[in-house]
C-alpha cells in the first residue's frame, strides 16, 4: 500500500504555494518552528494527527516534523480536506497523509486506521475521533501513548465525559480551552470563515436579511458579530439564560427556534448539539430559506427529517442542496450539514490558526517533557504556554503594552488600601 491516500498528486505545487502563503501570517508558529529545528524536542517521537487538512494544518505538521517528530495525518472531517494541501504534504514533504475531500464515512474511518499504523506516542485530534477509535477499536495502542491534544470544544466535551466515566486511557491537553485559542479562533475565526463559507456557497447578499444564529458560545458570538457587520438582522437562539442575556445586551433579538423558523432567511447552527433544526422548524420555514451548520459534527440539522418532508432534491450549485418540500417550499441545505466554513470555504484564516497551532506544538512538547508526571486526565493548557503565545503574538503585531509600576504591583497584592 502507498504511504499516502490523496486525491491527486499533481496538485502538489499548488498546495505548496498556498501553504507558504498561509505560513507568512503565522509568526508565532514560525518562531516555534525555528526553535524546534535547532532543539529537536520531539526527536524520534511518533505523532498521529487527525485534523482538518488545510494550509495552516500543513504548516503545523511541518513544524512538528522540524522538531524531530515522525508525523502522519488524516482528515478530521470528510469534507474539510484541501486536496492540494494533502498532495503537497505527501509529495513535497514525503509525509504519510490520508485525506480526500468528499470521502465517504468508510474511507474516513479507513484513513483513521491508516494513521494508527504508526503506533503513535502522541495523538493530535480535532473532534476526538482518533482518541475514540483507539479506545473502541485499538485499546492495545494506549499503553505506548504519552498523551494527546484536542483542538475543539466538541472534542473536549467528549474527552471530559470519558475522563468522568474513568475510561480515558491516556492524558489529554485541552488545547481548545487555552485563552489564546478559543478567544480568537472560535470567535473571530469561526465568525469570518462561516460567513465566508455561506457567501462562497450562495453568493447571496447578507445585508437586510434575517440571520438566525443557533447557539451563543464563542463561535456563535463571532458569527453573530460578523453577520451583523454585513448588515443582517440577527436572531439568536439559546438554551442558556446567561448567554441569552448576553446576546440581548450585544444588541440582538433572542427567541426560540420555533419562533425564528418562519422569519429567518439564513440559519446557522453552532451549538455542538443534535437536531437543533428539525422537522417542526422545517415545516415553518419560508420558501428559499438557507440552512447550514458550523458546529463540529453534522448532527445539528436533522437531515433525515428534511429528506422525508421532501419530494425532490437537487444540487443547484456546488455545496447547495435544494430540497423541494411536498407543499412546494424549497429549503436549501449547505455543505450537507457539515462545517460550512471548512467545506465551502477554507476554514479560519492563518493569523488566528497561528495561536491555535502554536498551542498544539507547545503542548505536544510539554507532554513529551512531562510524560512521567501526567495522569489519565484532561488537562488545561499550562498558563505559561498560553501567556507566552499571547506575548509572542502581540510582539509580532509590533504592539507594546504598559507594564505595572512597582507601586501598582504592591497595590494589587495588598488589601489594606481603600478610599
Ligand atoms: N479549524 C477551523 N479552521 C481551520 C483551519 N484553517 N485549519 C485547521 N483547522 C481549522
Amino acid at each position: 500500500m502507498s504511504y499516502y491516500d490523496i486525491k491527486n498528486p499533481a496538485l502538489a505545487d499548488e498546495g505548496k504555494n498556498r501553504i507558504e502563503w498561509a505560513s507568512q501570517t503565522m509568526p508565532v508558529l514560525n518562531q516555534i518552528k525555528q526553535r524546534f529545528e535547532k532543539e529537536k524536542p520531539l526527536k524520534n517521537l511518533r505523532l498521529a494527527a487527525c485534523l482538518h487538512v488545510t494550509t495552516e494544518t500543513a504548516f503545523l505538521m511541518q513544524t512538528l516534523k522540524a522538531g524531530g517528530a515522525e508525523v502522519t495525518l488524516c482528515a478530521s472531517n470528510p469534507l474539510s480536506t484541501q486536496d492540494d494541501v494533502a498532495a503537497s504534504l505527501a509529495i513535497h514533504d514525503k509525509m504519510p497523509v490520508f485525506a480526500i475531500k468528499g470521502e465517504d464515512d468508510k474511507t474516513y474511518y479507513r484513513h483513521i486506521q491508516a494513521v494508527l499504523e504508526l503506533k503513535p506516542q502522541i495523538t493530535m485530534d480535532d473532534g476526538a475521533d482518533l482518541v475514540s477509535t483507539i479506545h473502541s477499536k485499538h485499546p492495545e495502542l494506549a499503553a505506548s501513548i504519552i498523551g494527546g491534544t484536542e483542538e475543539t470544544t466538541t472534542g473536549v466535551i467528549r474527552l471530559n465525559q470519558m475522563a468522568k466515566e474513568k475510561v480515558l486511557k491516556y492524558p489529554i491537553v485541552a488545547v481548545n480551552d487555552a485563552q489564546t485559542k478559543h478567544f480568537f479562533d472560535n470567535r473571530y475565526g469561526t465568525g469570518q470563515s462561516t460567513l465566508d463559507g455561506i457567501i462562497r456557497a450562495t453568493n447571496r447578499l447578507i445585508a437586510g436579511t434575517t440571520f438566525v444564529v443557533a447557539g451563543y458560545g464563542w463561535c456563535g458570538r463571532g458569527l453573530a458579530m460578523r453577520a451583523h457587520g454585513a448588515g443582517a438582522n440577527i436572531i439568536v437562539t439559546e438554551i442558556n439564560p446567561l448567554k441569552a442575556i448576553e446576546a440581548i445586551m450585544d444588541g440582538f433579538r433572542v427567541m426560540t427556534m420555533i419562533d425564528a423558523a418562519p422569519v429567518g432567511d439564513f440559519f446557522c447552527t453552532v451549538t455542538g448539539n443534535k437536531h437543533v433544526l428539525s422537522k417542526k422548524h422545517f415545516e415553518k420555514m419560508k420558501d428559499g430559506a438557507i440552512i447550514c451548520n458550523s458546529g463540529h459534527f453534522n448532527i445539528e440539522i436533522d437531515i433525515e427529517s428534511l429528506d422525508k418532508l421532501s419530494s425532490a432534491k437537487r444540487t443547484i450549485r456546488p455545496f447547495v442542496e435544494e430540497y423541494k418540500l411536498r407543499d412546494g417550499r424549497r429549503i436549501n441545505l449547505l455543505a450537507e450539514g457539515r462545517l460550512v466554513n471548512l467545506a465551502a470555504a477554507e476554514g479560519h484564516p492563518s493569523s488566528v490558526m497561528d495561536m491555535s497551532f502554536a498551542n498544539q506544538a507547545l503542548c505536544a512538547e510539554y507532554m513529551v517533557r512531562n510524560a512521567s508526571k501526567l495522569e489519565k486526565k484532561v488537562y488545561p493548557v499550562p498558563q505559561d504556554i498560553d501567556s507566552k503565545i499571547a506575548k509572542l503574538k502581540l510582539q509580532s503585531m509590533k504592539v507594546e503594552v504598559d507594564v505595572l509600576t512597582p507601586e501598582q504591583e504592591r497595590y494589587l497584592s495588598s488589601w489594606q488600601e481603600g478610599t
Side-chain angles (χ1 to χ4, degrees):
M1 189 171 105
S2 165
Y3 71 88
Y4 58 75
D5 190 17
I6 58 172
K7 178 141 187 213
N8 182 1
L11 299 173
D13 288 351
E14 195 183 313
K16 187 166 185 271
N17 282 341
R18 292 203 316 110
I19 295 165
E20 189 190 322
W21 173 255
S23 73
Q24 288 173 11
T25 47
M26 302 181 81
V28 181
L29 201 56
N30 265 292
Q31 278 196 40
I32 294 170
K33 183 165 181 262
Q34 280 166 22
R35 177 171 68 76
F36 274 17
E37 262 153 15
K38 280 193 229 118
E39 296 176 10
K40 303 278 178 212
L42 310 178
K43 195 161 180 229
N44 298 329
L45 183 84
R46 298 185 305 274
L47 188 153
C50 177
L51 300 170
H52 300 298
V53 180
T54 64
T55 51
E56 295 75 25
T57 296
F59 192 52
L60 170 64
M61 293 295 111
Q62 290 171 347
T63 302
L64 299 167
K65 202 173 162 186
E70 187 186 342
V71 293
T72 174
L73 173 67
C74 66
S76 61
N77 186 290
L79 258 192
S80 62
T81 297
Q82 298 171 7
D83 289 315
D84 58 338
V85 169
S88 179
L89 286 173
I91 304 303
H92 294 304
D93 297 280
K94 304 274 173 278
M95 201 178 281
V97 179
F98 302 88
I100 299 173
K101 187 171 178 114
E103 62 195 15
D104 58 20
D105 284 4
K106 207 169 139 221
T107 311
Y108 175 77
Y109 282 104
R110 184 163 51 76
H111 284 165
I112 291 184
Q113 299 283 352
V115 298
L116 291 179
E117 278 177 24
L118 181 70
K119 300 203 180 351
Q121 294 161 291
I122 293 273
T123 62
M124 207 168 257
D125 247 314
D126 187 331
D129 278 349
L130 198 53
V131 173
S132 117
T133 304
I134 290 169
H135 280 68
S136 57
K137 300 216 173 71
H138 297 285
E140 75 287 355
L141 291 178
S144 52
I145 298 180
I146 294 168
T149 60
E150 172 52 54
E151 170 76 9
T152 201
T153 316
T154 295
V156 172
I157 291 170
R158 290 176 88 185
L159 292 157
N160 276 330
Q161 199 53 39
M162 289 171 82
K164 200 168 150 201
E165 290 174 23
K166 301 211 181 317
V167 294
L168 188 65
K169 288 181 182 292
Y170 60 86
I172 299 285
V173 175
V175 164
N176 178 72
D177 297 353
Q179 291 183 322
T180 46
K181 198 279 181 180
H182 67 271
F183 277 11
F184 307 103
D185 169 316
N186 300 29
R187 184 168 31 172
Y188 304 105
T190 307
Q192 176 166 324
S193 62
T194 302
L195 206 58
D196 184 19
I198 294 170
I199 293 171
R200 288 197 207 190
T202 64
N203 194 29
R204 288 274 167 87
L205 185 72
I206 305 293
T209 62
T210 298
F211 194 113
V212 182
V213 177
Y216 208 62
W218 289 102
C219 298
R221 288 176 185 127
L223 176 57
M225 178 166 63
R226 289 295 172 253
H228 177 65
N233 296 296
I234 308 296
I235 294 174
V236 170
T237 69
E238 248 304 333
I239 46 112
N240 179 324
L242 241 149
K243 291 183 181 171
I245 298 171
E246 194 185 350
I248 292 167
M249 296 210 179
D250 284 345
F252 304 134
R253 279 186 292 164
V254 174
M255 60 183 78
T256 58
M257 187 57 91
I258 201 73
D259 288 340
V263 288
D265 298 301
F266 293 92
F267 294 82
C268 186
T269 54
V270 262
T271 68
N273 213 335
K274 230 182 142 166
H275 296 177
V276 176
L277 284 177
S278 62
K279 182 167 180 275
K280 61 180 190 248
H281 306 121
F282 305 139
E283 280 167 346
K284 287 193 176 306
M285 283 180 184
K286 288 198 261 192
D287 177 34
I290 292 170
I291 62 174
C292 62
N293 165 53
S294 206
H296 186 79
F297 287 120
N298 60 337
I299 38 94
E300 305 210 16
I301 301 174
D302 181 1
I303 300 173
E304 213 180 299
S305 293
L306 183 57
D307 243 331
K308 283 193 189 135
L309 284 176
S310 307
S311 55
K313 176 173 114 171
R314 62 175 171 154
T315 305
I316 189 160
R317 281 169 63 91
F319 302 111
V320 185
E321 208 71 16
E322 180 197 75
Y323 286 78
K324 187 102 187 262
L325 272 56
R326 290 211 177 72
D327 60 12
R329 283 176 305 124
R330 290 157 299 183
I331 293 180
N332 299 295
L333 173 69
L334 307 187
E336 302 168 19
R338 299 200 186 269
L339 297 144
V340 70
N341 62 334
L342 280 140
E346 293 169 65
H348 306 351
S350 46
S351 60
V352 283
M353 293 314 294
D354 186 27
M355 287 185 278
S356 312
F357 284 168
N359 275 291
Q360 287 284 7
L362 295 185
C363 287
E365 181 184 26
Y366 168 83
M367 294 203 111
V368 173
R369 293 229 158 106
N370 294 278
S372 61
K373 293 187 219 142
L374 297 171
E375 295 167 31
K376 295 168 186 175
K377 292 203 292 207
V378 178
Y379 287 88
V381 170
Q383 185 58 50
D384 60 325
I385 291 184
D386 212 356
S387 306
K388 186 166 156 195
I389 291 171
K391 275 194 194 130
L392 289 175
K393 189 69 177 175
L394 201 63
Q395 260 172 24
S396 77
M397 295 168 164
K398 309 219 177 329
V399 173
E400 284 184 29
V401 290
D402 290 322
V403 284
L404 293 173
T405 62
E407 185 194 15
Q408 287 171 330
E409 278 197 30
R410 267 196 310 280
Y411 177 75
L412 286 180
S413 58
S414 69
W415 54 269
Q416 292 92 341
E417 211 177 313
T419 305

